[in-house]
Amino acid sequence: MHFLSEDLEDYVAAHSQAEPELLAQLNKETYQKVLLPRMLSGHFQGRVLSLLSKLIRPASILEIGTYTGYATLCLCEGMQENGIVHTIDIKEELVDFQRKYFDKSPWGSQIIQHLGEAVDIIPTLETKFDLVFIDADKENYLNYYELIVPKINKGGIILSDNVLWSGKVVEPLKEGDLSTKILLEYNQRLNNDPRVETVLLPIRDGLTVSRVL
């Protein structure tokens, strides 16, 4: 679903920071070789993630849902000089693809890949994070959130992607649609949770910014 017309989306992208060359290559190869390339953050949202990271200046980043690593590299752009990124994904076939682009970037040695279920991996991470990006299976968003809040430094930021879910969050809930049901609960939880302050931005498919108090 396009929340803006395609002409306006093109205008927005054209009047935002240009896409770095390495990310343009990653974008192109993802569309050529990987299933479901629509999952890629892409140019405009990638520049939003980059700018937010530059404002936050995180020393430690957690990403839940790596896909091909586009958003990972965008978040790295604002990371402190000796910062670390932990990124988690379940798709073994994408590990080498991710690593190829990570190692082409300035942050290859600072990106730690984790393969497996995030609900199992997150409790093993003995790190307090400044920035967390959630962009994985929607059915587990509430579980991820409860696992990560205690692991975030005060003032840290949680970014949650796809929270508008192609507009399904304002449509009648269809029987058996667990993803939309969970996202509705998730959006309500973030809005009412006294541990955070939250704003939902209508960027692409919806991006929530939550600051831990």
Side-chain angles (χ1 to χ4, degrees), residues 1 81 103 106 109 134 140 144 146 152 164:
M1 173 180 285
E81 184 176 354
D103 287 345
S109 64
I134 305 175
N140 269 309
Y144 297 148
E146 293 301 333
I152 300 178
L164 294 180

Side-chain angles (χ1 to χ4, degrees), residues 56-134:
I56 298 162
R57 295 291 292 150
S60 53
I61 299 173
L62 172 62
E63 179 183 42
I64 305 171
T66 317
Y67 190 48
T68 56
Y70 190 102
T72 321
L73 293 176
C74 293
L75 295 170
C76 283
E77 293 178 28
M79 186 168 58
Q80 293 182 25
E81 184 176 354
N82 297 314
I84 292 292
V85 177
H86 291 268
T87 185
I88 306 170
D89 206 281
I90 61 170
K91 294 184 173 64
E92 185 174 1
E93 67 273 16
L94 292 179
V95 170
D96 290 341
F97 187 107
Q98 298 159 6
R99 178 48 58 186
K100 178 175 74 170
Y101 280 94
F102 292 163
D103 287 345
K104 286 183 177 181
S105 80
W107 310 286
S109 64
Q110 296 166 261
I111 302 173
I112 301 171
Q113 294 164 282
H114 298 272
L115 180 63
E117 296 287 347
V119 289
D120 298 325
I121 293 169
I122 293 168
T124 71
L125 301 177
E126 297 181 359
T127 304
K128 294 283 279 187
F129 295 99
D130 301 311
L131 176 59
V132 177
F133 182 44
I134 305 175

Side-chain angles (χ1 to χ4, degrees), residues 1-7 9-10 38 166-167 204-205:
M1 173 180 285
H2 289 275
F3 298 114
L4 297 175
S5 70
E6 290 193 48
D7 286 343
E9 288 185 349
D10 291 343
R38 184 176 175 273
S166 298
R204 201 164 176 253
D205 195 26

